[in-house]
Amino acid sequence: MDVIQQIPETKDTHDSLKNQLDNVTSPENRSGKSKEASLPVQLESPPRLSNTKLFILGTGQVFLWGLTSASILETAFALPMIGVEFDLTPGEVQWVSASMMLTWGCFQLVAGRLCDIFGRKRGYLIGCLGLMLTNIISTFMPNLASLSVFRALAGIASAIVLPASAGIIGSLYSAGKSRTLAFAAITCGGAAGAAGGELVAGMLIEWTKWTWRPCFLLIGILTIYPLAIGFMIIPLDPPLTTDKAVDWLGASTIGSSIFLLLLTFTLSETEERGWKTPYLPALLVASLMLFTSFAWRQSQLSRSARTPDNKKPPPLIPLSLLSMKNRNLVVIYIASACTWAMTDSFFVFASFLYFDVLDLSPFQAGLRLSITFFSGTVAALVVALTISHISPRLLMTLGCMISIASPVIFALRGLDWEYWKGDLWALLVIAYGTDATIAAGSTIISQTASPEDQSVASALFQTSCRLGFALGLAISTLVQTSVEKSALSSYANPTEEQKLNALADGLRAAQWCNAGYIALAAVLVGFGMKGWQRLDHHTSNSHDEEGIAAREHRLN
């Protein structure tokens, strides 16, 4: 999708664009009866940045994506110490992490659309500032309630800043190698941040008297860098106007649906009775009903957008992003959900193994997992160097197939295995599936989505990853607890060793479940996508009927 030359904003230009849209969207043209070829629609694009500024901006985005990944992993590592300090049960302390993931998943899709409408730089700066402040304030919270509130606010800030960041990359970096390398770079940043966050959190928790509190403080301070880079380099957004139409009803419906879905999965893990808790099925049904209502409304708004006298807002999600005409996008959304279901769940159960079964200290566990800093960086570099030369379909399939080895090794490992015998090799290949899926998937989505839909397309991609993790972890946890209870049922009064062995059996079963997720992703990509062309051969669908109608509505 080539960058379009900037057009001065004058009344004549506006009238010219409107006349072109009137020609394109007239009933005669849509029915194929027009004898004249419609003129191409040109939209104003951001000014081109120099290569130096693009490089500096890229470092800020890599830093930002690394910090958001580190924030998730550091929080997970800090939970045991937070529970000890606040005298919480394991179920209660989970809300520190769950509150962030709930708001993150709930607001991401809506935030992506708002960034497209009201300006990506505005969304980026608000998100960075919110991420900085909420992490710094979290450092000083005295109890579970206040800490959970600010972790929830940090989730909202992350939901705003990441779609804005992806949209900025999609609009400022030209299509082709430049944009592909940019998406591969932020993938590398995310992998490095996740691994570095584990190691740094382990060091801070074990070697400082403030234990978990410096983890949040460090994230907040480091966020100043991407905030400053964005403020100085990202071009200004167009002035705000009063004619911006937003589907607030659809936004509230889909936000409530995702919130209830994630809340259901969270409660299934934190409640003592799990899925036997009476109100969980009701929450799940309510979530599905809201999602059905949202899908119906988007369909109605899409039909209305094709009428010349339409006064309704455009759809929150352009249906072209979910159309079977763009089958590759649908496959990427589902495959990314499966990939992240494996990756994030893998680290959750690996942490349980290290802490609860092998009784390792936070630093020892972080040191073992820190190899993913190296392996994730290498995997991201391999993806970055090959993504322009081979088919993304082949790249994602091979990446997922390689990563199958990670949960399989942990499912087979004995409790007496040395680190180099199993864990090392599993952690060396864990990142290939996620790195290939994110880099190739983000690039294809960016090239397929129209310029004004870059952030919401990225938000849809990231939301699928979050939902995949929530659903995958819920299923894997259900498998783990079922196997553990089954193993303990054969003992009247199980000893501590028997309890540990039962827990280990449950963790192995969960890792087999994780292996199924990544294998499903490989099958979906290998057999579900179409075409074997390289990324530079992918074409844009930015001028489909829905995009034209949406632009017509915005001009009116």
Side-chain angles (χ1 to χ4, degrees):
M1 190 161 30
D2 296 327
V3 178
I4 304 170
Q5 296 296 324
Q6 185 175 359
I7 304 172
E9 289 190 57
T10 64
K11 184 178 185 301
D12 293 340
T13 302
H14 182 279
D15 293 341
S16 175
L17 288 175
K18 187 175 184 302
N19 290 335
Q20 290 179 33
L21 288 169
D22 289 339
N23 291 334
V24 173
T25 57
S26 64
E28 291 80 6
N29 276 334
R30 289 199 303 269
S31 62
K33 295 179 182 179
S34 176
K35 295 181 181 181
E36 297 182 3
S38 57
L39 296 174
V41 179
Q42 289 183 307
L43 298 175
E44 181 182 358
S45 62
R48 294 293 300 273
L49 299 178
S50 66
N51 290 336
T52 301
K53 287 187 175 180
L54 287 176
F55 176 79
I56 296 174
L57 177 62
T59 62
Q61 305 316 296
V62 170
F63 216 75
L64 173 67
W65 286 69
L67 288 175
T68 53
S69 297
S71 179
I72 298 173
L73 271 297
E74 285 189 353
T75 302
F77 254 65
L79 290 183
M81 296 305 300
I82 294 174
V84 171
E85 181 174 334
F86 293 158
D87 192 22
L88 305 172
T89 65
E92 291 172 337
V93 77
Q94 286 293 332
W95 283 105
V96 177
S97 176
S99 59
M100 180 179 181
M101 302 309 295
L102 279 171
T103 54
W104 192 343
C106 172
F107 286 97
Q108 195 159 43
L109 196 57
V110 178
R113 171 50 77 197
L114 294 179
C115 288
D116 283 329
I117 294 176
F118 295 107
R120 297 183 185 115
K121 181 171 184 175
R122 295 186 183 97
Y124 179 87
L125 295 179
I126 291 172
C128 278
L129 184 62
L131 200 61
M132 179 188 72
L133 294 177
T134 53
N135 276 285
I136 292 176
I137 295 174
S138 296
T139 307
F140 306 101
M141 291 300 99
N143 52 51
L144 173 64
S146 58
L147 180 59
S148 297
V149 167
F150 280 95
R151 297 321 297 157
L153 294 175
I156 296 176
S158 300
I160 296 172
V161 74
L162 292 187
S165 172
I168 288 168
I169 292 174
S171 60
L172 294 183
Y173 290 79
S174 57
K177 189 175 182 180
S178 175
R179 188 183 301 174
T180 301
L181 289 177
F183 280 117
I186 62 173
T187 302
C188 179
E198 293 167 344
L199 181 60
V200 171
M203 295 171 60
L204 292 174
I205 291 172
E206 188 160 339
W207 293 348
T208 66
K209 64 179 181 180
W210 301 284
T211 62
W212 58 271
R213 296 181 184 274
C215 297
F216 297 130
L217 181 62
L218 184 61
I219 293 291
I221 293 174
L222 293 178
T223 308
I224 296 175
Y225 177 70
L227 174 62
I229 292 296
F231 178 79
M232 293 185 293
I233 294 181
I234 299 173
L236 293 175
D237 293 320
L240 290 174
T241 60
T242 58
D243 61 345
K244 301 289 187 180
V246 181
D247 178 21
W248 292 111
L249 179 59
S252 60
T253 303
I254 188 61
S256 300
S257 174
I258 295 176
F259 177 80
L260 290 178
L261 182 64
L262 294 177
L263 180 64
T264 302
F265 292 147
T266 302
L267 291 173
S268 70
E269 300 168 28
T270 59
E271 291 293 316
E272 185 176 351
R273 298 181 61 185
W275 282 103
K276 294 182 179 179
T277 305
Y279 53 81
L280 290 190
L283 291 177
L284 188 60
V285 170
S287 173
L288 294 176
M289 291 177 63
L290 286 170
F291 180 80
T292 302
S293 300
F294 171 76
W296 177 82
R297 176 167 174 79
Q298 298 307 292
S299 177
Q300 295 298 311
L301 291 178
S302 179
R303 292 192 183 96
S304 298
R306 296 189 179 98
T307 60
D309 57 345
N310 175 47
K311 295 183 179 180
K312 296 180 179 179
L316 190 70
I317 302 177
L319 296 188
S320 59
L321 297 178
L322 299 174
S323 170
M324 289 310 295
K325 294 179 181 179
N326 290 322
R327 189 177 75 186
N328 284 358
L329 292 188
V330 178
V331 173
I332 288 172
Y333 292 140
I334 301 174
S336 65
C338 295
T339 303
W340 282 96
M342 184 282 291
T343 305
D344 286 0
S345 298
F346 171 87
F347 284 107
V348 169
F349 294 112
S351 298
F352 276 125
L353 176 69
Y354 287 156
F355 287 132
D356 296 343
V357 179
L358 301 181
D359 196 26
L360 299 180
S361 69
F363 174 71
Q364 290 174 322
L367 188 62
R368 291 194 175 205
L369 294 173
S370 65
I371 189 63
T372 53
F373 179 87
F374 167 77
S375 61
T377 303
V378 171
L381 290 175
V382 170
V383 170
L385 293 173
T386 58
I387 194 171
S388 298
H389 303 286
I390 65 174
S391 164
R393 179 181 178 184
L394 178 61
L395 181 64
M396 288 188 284
T397 303
L398 290 177
C400 291
M401 291 178 65
I402 292 172
S403 293
I404 292 175
S406 298
V408 169
I409 290 174
F410 266 71
L412 295 174
R413 82 182 302 282
L415 299 182
D416 57 345
W417 281 19
E418 297 291 339
Y419 176 71
W420 61 267
K421 186 177 180 180
D423 298 18
L424 174 64
W425 305 105
L427 296 172
L428 284 176
V429 298
I430 183 67
Y432 284 91
T434 51
D435 285 1
T437 302
I438 289 181
S442 297
T443 306
I444 292 175
I445 290 170
S446 179
Q447 291 183 358
T448 305
S450 59
E452 65 270 26
D453 293 328
Q454 290 289 315
S455 291
V456 73
S458 175
L460 186 59
F461 181 54
Q462 295 166 32
T463 300
S464 66
C465 295
R466 298 267 70 80
L467 291 178
F469 165 58
L471 179 59
L473 182 61
I475 296 175
S476 298
T477 301
L478 185 62
V479 171
Q480 180 251 321
T481 53
S482 298
V483 172
E484 182 180 354
K485 290 180 180 178
S486 177
L488 289 174
S489 63
S490 57
Y491 305 106
N493 295 301
T495 63
E496 288 299 321
E497 182 179 0
Q498 290 169 338
K499 291 180 179 179
L500 285 179
N501 288 332
L503 176 58
D505 289 341
L507 296 177
R508 292 190 187 100
Q511 295 291 11
W512 281 118
C513 193
N514 291 336
Y517 299 148
I518 193 68
L520 178 59
V523 171
L524 285 172
V525 173
F527 293 97
M529 292 183 69
K530 57 182 179 180
W532 295 96
Q533 65 269 34
R534 300 195 307 271
L535 279 173
D536 53 2
H537 290 163
H538 279 266
T539 58
S540 168
N541 292 327
S542 61
H543 296 300
D544 62 14
E545 290 186 1
E546 292 177 10
I548 292 170
R551 295 183 198 111
E552 180 188 30
H553 179 79
R554 291 187 183 99
L555 286 177
N556 287 329

